[in-house]
Amino acid sequence: MAENKGKTDSIRMSMQGCRTNNGFVQNEDILEKDPDPGSRLDSAVAVLGPVEPDLKDIRPYAGMPKEVLFQFSGQARYRLPREVLFWLTVASVFVLIGATIAIIAVSPKCLDWWQAGPMYQIYPRSFKDSDMDGNGDLKGIQEKLDYITTLNIKTIWITSFYKSSLKDFRHGVEDFREIDPIFGTMKDFENLVAAIHDKGLKLIIDFIPNHTSDKHAWFQLSRTRTGKYTDYYIWHDCTRENGITVPPNNWLSVYGNSSWHFDEVRNQCYFHQFMREQPDLNFHNPDVQEEIKEIIQFWLTKGVDGFSFDAVKFLLEAEHLRDEAQVNKTQIPDTVTHYWELYHDFTTTQVGMHDIVRSFRQTMDQYSREPGRYRFMGIEAYGESMDRTMMYYGLPFVQEADFPFNNYLSELNAPSGNGVFEVITSWMENMPEGKWPNWMIGGPDRARLTSRLGAEYVNIMNMLVFTLPGTPITYYGEEIGMRNILVTNLNESYDVDTLFSKSPMQWDNSSNAGFSEARHTWLPTSSDYHTVNVDVQKTQPRSALKFYQELSLLHVNELLLSRGWFCYLRNNSHSVVYTRELDGIDRVFLVVLNFGESSPLNLKEMVPNIPTRASIRLSTSFADKGGEVDTHDILLDKGEGLVLEYHTKNLLHHQTAFRDRCFVSNRACYSSTLNLLHSLC
C-alpha cells in the first residue's frame, strides 16, 4: 500500500516538472524507467493530446524541453534579433579585416634594430681586462654591459677577436673559427652573446675576408700545392736575382713596396695587398668563396646579429697582371714605392667584386627569415670615393649592404662649419633614395675626437651625430672625451700610429684607470684618466657622459629625430644650422652648432614664420636647458650647440624654396588622432 502511494507521488512530481522546475534544468538523458511503455505513451497523448499544444498563454521558462523551445525560436521576435546579430558579426569581421589591410597598406616600413638606436664600437683588447693579464677580453665586455645600456645603445660592434699571429689581432687571421686565447674561449663568446641578447641588445662583429695570416692552415696547404688548396691564394712565377725578387708587375702593397713576396717552399711569389704576413685569398676560385660563406654561417649560428665586412674592395684583382699606371708619369719606375703613387685600377673594385659581396648578403638573408632576427650587413669602405662608396648600398632591386660605414666626419682634422656641412650634404645628396645613412666621429684607426679637434668639441660633435638622420656610431671612450695616448716608446712590432686611439678604457681613477688589475697593461692609459673617466663623470651633472646620455635618450624617444625630415638652412666657416620635422607633428627641432668663434645668428632671416621665441630642448651649456632664446639674435660660443624647439604648421620640406635642401630616407607622417605613423602624406 505504501509502495503504491510512493509511486503515485513520484509520477505526480514528474508531471509537474514539465511545467516548472524552480530554475533547475532537467537532464533529458536520465529518464525514469517506465515499467509499461504503452501506458507511458497513453499518458503523453492524454497530457499533450494528438496535436501541437496551444502556446499562446505560455511564456519561455528555464529548462523547457527542446520541443517547446523550437516553438518559440521560430517566432519573428526571436528570429529577427538572432539574424541581425549574425549579420552584424559578419560585417564587423569584414570591417576589421579591411581596417587591418588598410593600416598595413598605409603604414611606413618599421625601423629595424640597426636603425632604431646607436651603435657602440669596442676594441676588445682595450675595453676591460677580467683575468689580470693586461689585455681586455670577452668576459670584460660582459662585465660592462650594464654601463653600455645606460648609454641607450642598441647595438654592440666588436672588432676582430679571431685567432691571429699578429699582435694587433685585427688583420692577419690564423683561424676564422677560433677565439684568440688572449680574449678568452668560444664558451666565453657564447656567454657574451647570450648576455647581450638578454639585455635586449644586438651584436655585430668584424670580418675581413680578403686575406689570412701566412700561418693559416689554408696557406700552409697551398704553398705545398695540396689538393684544392693549391689555388686558394694568388701565386705567380717570379724570378730571383742575387737574392732579390723580381716581381711579376709593379703592383704595390698598401704599406708600400711590392705586393709580391717570394715563397721558398712553393718557389713562387704570392700576392698581398697589405703586410707580407697577410697573403690575399684568390676569390676567382669558387672554393674560396664557399669557404667564406661557411665561415659567415658558422658565426650566424653562434648568434651574431650581423657583420662589418672590411677591405672588400681588395677582394678581386685583374687576372692579366698588367702594370698599374703611375700618378706621376715622369717619375722613374724603380722609385715608385708608395701606394699613393699608383692608380689602382687593376687591384681594387674589380668587375665581379660586388657580386661576391651580394653573395654574402644572400647567405645572411637565409638567417633573417625568423621575425625579429634580421642580420645586418655593413661595409667598411675607407678610402673609396663617394660614388664608389654609395655602390655598396646595392641596386634598386638588388640589396647589398644595409649601409657602408660613413667615416668622413672622423677624418676632419680641424673644426669648421663648412667642413661639417660638406660631409653631411655630400652623403645625403649622393645616397640612393630610400637608403639609410649613418655617422661616426671616431674609430680604432683614427685619432680620437679630443686629439683631433679639442675637448671643447666633444659635446657638439656628439650632438651632431645624434641629431642627423640615420644611425649614430660611437667608438668606445668618445662618450667621455678620451684622448690619444702620447707615449711613443711602445713594445709593439707594427705601425704605432694606429695604436694611439686604442688606449685602455678609462673607468675610474684607480690604478690603470680601472681597466686592469695587472701590473702592466698592453698599452699605457692616458695621463688624464684621473679626471676623464666614467666614475667621475657619472657624478658630474655637466659632464660629457651626462650630456651623451641625454642626447641618446632624446634620439630614442623623438620621432622627429628617428623618422623626420632633415633640412639644412645655413653654413659658413663657423656654424651649421638645420631642422628636423615630421608631417603631422607641429613641433620642429632646429639645431644650431658653432664650430668657430662667437658670432651672432639671426634665425628669423633663415626660417620663414619662425616664432620670436624658441625653447631650448638641449644645450651643450647645461645652464641654458629649459630656457628660451630670441630667434632674432643668438650668440653661441666656440664649440656650443643648441637643439631648439618651436611650434609651426608651415614645415620647410613643403616649401618650394627649401625642397632641394630637405632629405628623408623613409617618408612617414604622424596621426595624432590614431597615434600611429602612416604614408599618406
Side-chain angles (χ1 to χ4, degrees):
M1 185 74 174
E3 183 179 354
N4 292 335
K5 184 179 185 299
K7 187 178 295 186
T8 302
D9 291 341
S10 176
I11 294 174
R12 186 181 299 115
M13 292 176 63
S14 178
M15 292 181 65
Q16 289 177 351
C18 292
R19 294 188 296 272
T20 177
N21 63 358
N22 297 322
F24 293 96
V25 178
Q26 181 179 351
N27 188 339
E28 298 181 15
D29 296 329
I30 305 175
L31 297 176
E32 187 175 341
K33 187 174 181 181
D34 194 330
D36 186 357
S39 64
R40 181 180 176 187
L41 180 60
D42 293 339
S43 299
V45 172
V47 173
L48 298 177
V51 295
E52 293 294 328
D54 185 5
L55 302 177
K56 288 189 296 184
D57 298 327
I58 300 178
R59 301 176 62 83
Y61 56 89
M64 73 180 78
K66 61 183 179 181
E67 294 86 355
V68 179
L69 178 62
F70 288 154
Q71 296 296 326
F72 289 103
S73 63
Q75 295 179 8
R77 57 176 174 171
Y78 297 110
R79 186 183 69 254
L80 290 178
R82 203 166 57 240
E83 292 180 354
V84 169
L85 288 174
F86 170 78
W87 289 112
L88 282 176
T89 302
V90 171
S92 299
V93 169
F94 280 108
V95 168
L96 288 174
I97 293 174
T100 302
I101 294 173
I103 291 174
I104 293 174
V106 303
S107 294
K109 182 181 178 182
C110 294
L111 296 184
D112 219 320
W113 55 265
W114 51 273
Q115 300 170 306
M119 295 182 176
Y120 191 74
Q121 186 182 22
I122 295 175
Y123 191 74
R125 196 178 179 187
S126 299
F127 197 62
K128 183 67 173 71
D129 173 23
S130 70
D131 57 6
M132 297 185 295
D133 67 349
N135 296 282
D137 46 49
L138 300 178
K139 284 185 177 179
I141 297 175
Q142 186 172 343
E143 290 176 5
K144 293 298 182 180
L145 290 181
D146 286 337
Y147 165 73
I148 294 175
T149 59
T150 67
L151 304 178
N152 302 299
I153 297 296
K154 298 298 183 185
T155 304
I156 296 175
W157 171 9
I158 302 179
T159 61
S160 183
F161 51 75
Y162 307 104
K163 186 177 181 181
S164 171
S165 57
L166 296 182
K167 290 185 176 181
D168 67 346
F169 302 98
R170 181 164 171 79
H171 299 297
V173 177
E174 189 174 327
D175 191 335
F176 286 109
R177 291 181 172 88
E178 289 291 337
I179 307 294
D180 195 280
I182 204 171
F183 297 124
T185 65
M186 185 61 74
K187 183 64 176 177
D188 294 333
F189 179 79
E190 292 168 352
N191 291 339
L192 176 60
V193 173
I196 287 173
H197 289 163
D198 286 344
K199 297 286 185 184
L201 307 175
K202 300 291 185 178
L203 172 66
I204 64 173
I205 61 175
D206 269 2
F207 185 30
I208 306 175
N210 178 70
H211 49 264
T212 71
S213 165
D214 59 356
K215 301 294 191 298
H216 198 290
W218 298 345
F219 186 77
Q220 297 302 315
L221 293 169
S222 185
R223 69 198 306 217
T224 57
R225 303 176 189 265
T226 302
K228 68 174 184 177
Y229 299 100
T230 300
D231 295 323
Y232 261 44
Y233 296 84
I234 302 167
W235 298 94
H236 202 274
D237 292 334
C238 55
T239 60
R240 296 273 289 176
E241 299 176 359
N242 299 322
I244 299 175
T245 300
V246 179
N249 55 31
N250 72 341
W251 294 356
L252 297 178
S253 161
V254 170
Y255 296 114
N257 298 315
S258 176
S259 57
W260 296 96
H261 184 73
F262 182 75
D263 181 71
E264 295 180 353
V265 174
R266 180 153 168 159
N267 202 32
Q268 281 186 311
C269 283
Y270 64 83
F271 179 70
H272 60 91
Q273 298 244 40
F274 295 91
M275 302 173 73
R276 71 179 186 182
E277 296 88 355
Q278 301 165 339
D280 274 38
L281 287 165
N282 178 17
F283 271 87
H284 291 289
N285 186 340
D287 289 335
V288 171
Q289 296 188 33
E290 190 61 31
E291 288 272 13
I292 297 301
K293 291 177 185 178
E294 290 177 1
I295 293 169
I296 294 171
Q297 292 171 336
F298 173 82
W299 291 105
L300 292 176
T301 303
K302 290 291 182 182
V304 303
D305 300 291
F307 290 93
S308 165
F309 290 95
D310 198 359
V312 296
K313 71 176 181 179
F314 301 103
L315 289 178
L316 289 178
E317 301 78 25
E319 295 183 279
H320 53 63
L321 300 184
R322 291 198 295 267
D323 283 352
E324 293 187 315
Q326 296 180 192
V327 174
N328 181 2
K329 296 182 179 180
T330 63
Q331 186 176 355
I332 299 173
D334 289 344
T335 65
V336 177
T337 59
H338 296 96
Y339 190 72
W340 48 266
E341 293 176 328
L342 291 179
Y343 292 109
H344 303 285
D345 297 327
F346 302 145
T347 54
T348 62
T349 321
Q350 297 299 291
V351 174
M353 181 271 291
H354 281 280
D355 293 330
I356 295 174
V357 176
R358 290 177 194 128
S359 73
F360 297 163
R361 171 78 269 170
Q362 292 167 2
T363 300
M364 296 173 66
D365 284 344
Q366 296 172 8
Y367 290 78
S368 299
R369 294 167 182 167
E370 182 182 348
R373 291 305 306 274
Y374 180 81
R375 307 306 175 98
F376 167 83
M377 179 176 174
I379 297 291
E380 296 188 63
Y382 299 155
E384 292 274 39
S385 61
M386 183 62 71
D387 59 338
R388 287 190 172 185
T389 298
M390 293 299 153
M391 291 175 66
Y392 290 107
Y393 275 114
L395 302 174
F397 299 103
V398 182
Q399 184 181 9
E400 202 163 321
D402 291 298
F403 54 63
F405 290 102
N406 179 0
N407 71 313
Y408 290 96
L409 287 174
S410 65
E411 295 178 347
L412 290 176
N413 293 318
S416 164
N418 287 332
V420 169
F421 170 81
E422 183 178 350
V423 169
I424 297 171
T425 53
S426 62
W427 191 276
M428 299 301 289
E429 290 176 354
N430 286 280
M431 185 177 66
E433 185 178 357
K435 299 300 182 180
W436 191 258
N438 69 100
W439 314 93
M440 53 199 306
I441 54 177
D445 298 323
R446 298 289 185 272
R448 286 194 174 273
L449 177 63
T450 300
S451 299
R452 284 187 292 115
L453 304 184
E456 65 269 32
Y457 292 101
V458 170
N459 286 346
I460 193 175
M461 289 300 289
N462 280 326
M463 177 178 279
L464 173 69
V465 297
F466 272 98
T467 55
L468 289 174
T471 300
I473 303 172
T474 298
Y475 181 53
Y476 82 97
E478 298 289 10
E479 73 273 18
I480 61 174
M482 283 176 57
R483 65 176 69 245
N484 285 2
I485 53 176
L486 303 177
V487 179
T488 57
N489 185 21
L490 302 172
N491 186 25
E492 298 291 340
S493 60
Y494 47 91
D495 186 3
V496 296
D497 291 337
T498 66
L499 295 177
F500 298 141
S501 62
K502 296 183 176 77
S503 58
M505 178 67 177
Q506 295 163 200
W507 296 105
D508 54 45
N509 55 14
S510 64
S511 177
N512 297 324
F515 161 71
S516 174
E517 297 180 13
R519 294 185 61 184
H520 301 285
T521 56
W522 83 284
L523 284 180
T525 54
S526 180
S527 59
D528 65 354
Y529 78 89
H530 289 286
T531 55
V532 180
N533 66 68
V534 172
D535 271 6
V536 167
Q537 294 196 10
K538 282 195 300 188
T539 61
Q540 295 175 341
R542 300 186 181 184
S543 67
L545 176 59
K546 286 288 188 181
F547 186 69
Y548 183 95
Q549 290 171 327
E550 289 197 42
L551 278 171
S552 60
L553 190 62
L554 185 70
H555 182 271
V556 168
N557 292 331
E558 280 289 349
L559 282 174
L560 293 176
L561 297 180
S562 62
R563 302 298 298 250
W565 285 78
F566 164 84
C567 298
Y568 65 85
L569 303 178
R570 175 181 172 179
N571 70 284
N572 54 34
S573 59
H574 299 302
S575 60
V576 174
V577 184
Y578 54 88
T579 64
R580 301 302 309 279
E581 55 189 40
L582 183 68
D583 290 294
I585 298 179
D586 63 357
R587 294 182 297 113
V588 172
F589 283 162
L590 193 152
V591 183
V592 185
L593 307 173
N594 185 38
F595 295 90
E597 298 300 325
S598 298
S599 58
L601 288 173
N602 186 347
L603 299 181
K604 279 282 192 180
E605 295 178 351
M606 304 181 203
V607 186
N609 304 317
I610 189 173
T612 304
R613 308 288 295 179
S615 60
I616 300 175
R617 185 64 183 268
L618 206 58
S619 170
T620 55
S621 175
F622 285 82
D624 294 337
K625 183 182 176 182
E628 289 188 339
V629 296
D630 185 347
T631 54
H632 284 95
D633 186 19
I634 295 180
L635 185 64
L636 297 181
D637 293 331
K638 181 171 66 173
E640 187 175 357
L642 294 174
V643 177
L644 302 178
E645 184 178 28
Y646 64 91
H647 290 265
T648 182
K649 294 186 181 298
N650 299 315
L651 302 182
L652 297 184
H653 69 272
H654 289 305
Q655 301 180 29
T656 304
F658 293 92
R659 191 161 296 167
D660 294 335
R661 292 190 277 171
C662 295
F663 305 92
V664 69
S665 291
N666 297 321
R667 183 174 303 209
C669 314
Y670 177 72
S671 170
S672 57
T673 303
L674 300 176
N675 191 28
L676 55 77
L677 289 169
H678 61 90
S679 57
L680 299 177
C681 302

